[in-house]
Amino acid sequence: MRIAVAGGTGTVGRHVVQVATARGHEVSSMSRAEGVDLVNGRGLTQALQGVEAVIDVSGIQTTSTKKAVDFFTNATQNLLAAEKQAGVKHHVALSIVGIDGSTSGLYAGKLVQEDEVRHGGIPWTLLRSTQFHEFVPLAVKIGTVGPVVTVPRMFTQPVAAREVAEALVTAAESGPRGRVPDLGGPRTEQLAALVRAYLAKTGQRKRILEAVLPGAMGKAMRSGALVPAAGAAVGRQTFSEWLETAEADGGRDQ
């Protein structure tokens, strides 16, 4: 099968490319660095010629609702339009567990993306996953001011990016199935505890400050609403196991 990966150089995307290639598929990666821009559509038509399935793991790092909504609206509309023109038969998209009812930030953008996919005219599959293990070093990077790391009080169930990639490639192979079961990691954890373990592993001496975020999303973080419900698929690799990998060591500079 010919598969194109939107966001193929990102945290999950590079794993998707590797997994799909190892399974014998003909795989192409689409990113700005490779001459394809989802936001303005540059290079999309050429990149999708002869492609049978698209796996969309593109994204944006922002806390701005407007930037997130604008990105996912433009990127998804452009991608689906180009898929129609190229005759793509299946669109697979990655989203985030627990975002129903979100009205702000990245989660609002992902809800817009899901809606575009459902009504975009291309047979689709949608997989929601929890945050990846790499979310922890990112939270440290974003939350660090001097010797202090501020992180939201939050229950999370982190999953290996590789396992998410495997699930996405399996979804592409299986054909359009609509919303498939959510995927989460093997353990529910407190984000602050994961940050503490990451700092210790990477030799960083910082004080952790837990912040109680306001609004519906802050409540969802604290209540466990962002972890999968019963019946979800469960990954294998724990966060502590990921910490022992070379991939985690590379995150100390993130």
Side-chain angles (χ1 to χ4, degrees):
M1 181 189 304
R2 294 193 65 181
I3 299 175
V5 184
T9 58
T11 300
V12 177
R14 58 192 176 84
H15 288 294
V16 173
V17 170
Q18 292 168 3
V19 170
T21 300
R23 293 187 186 180
H25 300 293
E26 184 178 345
V27 186
S28 59
S29 174
M30 299 188 298
S31 68
R32 284 193 298 273
E34 295 158 318
V36 181
D37 192 322
L38 298 181
V39 174
N40 61 28
R42 178 173 58 87
L44 268 176
T45 300
Q46 298 88 337
L48 292 175
Q49 293 304 309
V51 168
E52 299 165 73
V54 169
I55 299 177
D56 183 9
V57 289
S58 62
I60 182 174
Q61 289 186 6
T62 184
T63 57
S64 165
T65 301
K66 184 179 187 307
K67 288 181 179 179
V69 169
D70 287 350
F71 172 83
F72 285 110
T73 299
N74 294 332
T76 308
Q77 288 180 351
N78 287 337
L79 186 52
L80 291 169
E83 288 174 21
K84 284 183 182 178
Q85 186 174 352
V88 173
K89 304 299 184 185
H90 186 193
H91 182 96
V92 181
L94 176 64
S95 191
I96 305 173
V97 167
I99 61 173
D100 298 294
S102 300
T103 59
S104 63
L106 181 66
Y107 292 172
K110 295 300 286 186
L111 278 179
V112 167
Q113 179 190 26
E114 290 186 6
D115 190 62
E116 293 289 349
V117 168
R118 289 188 178 98
H119 300 97
I122 302 291
W124 55 276
T125 300
L126 176 66
L127 170 69
R128 287 183 177 183
S129 83
T130 53
Q131 300 286 357
F132 319 129
H133 296 315
E134 289 84 352
F135 175 65
V136 175
L138 178 62
V140 170
K141 178 181 178 180
I142 293 173
T144 294
V145 178
V148 177
V149 181
T150 302
V151 297
R153 185 170 296 173
M154 176 181 180
F155 283 104
T156 184
Q157 197 168 318
V159 65
R162 183 80 176 189
E163 294 172 8
V164 175
E166 291 168 353
L168 289 166
V169 175
T170 297
E173 294 169 336
S174 301
R177 292 163 48 199
R179 171 101 180 259
V180 296
D182 295 349
L183 173 61
R187 294 181 184 172
T188 300
E189 315 259 16
Q190 283 276 3
L191 179 59
L194 300 182
V195 167
R196 188 171 294 108
Y198 174 77
L199 293 175
K201 176 67 176 179
T202 55
Q204 301 181 61
R205 294 189 175 185
K206 297 180 184 294
R207 185 165 64 90
I208 299 171
L209 177 63
E210 272 193 291
V212 177
L213 298 186
M217 283 310 300
K219 182 178 180 181
M221 289 177 177
R222 298 189 299 276
S223 69
L226 301 183
V227 302
V234 178
R236 303 176 302 277
Q237 187 189 53
T238 66
F239 180 77
S240 60
E241 290 169 341
W242 176 81
L243 266 185
E244 300 303 318
T245 66
E247 193 169 7
D249 289 340
R252 78 178 62 203
D253 296 324
Q254 292 181 356

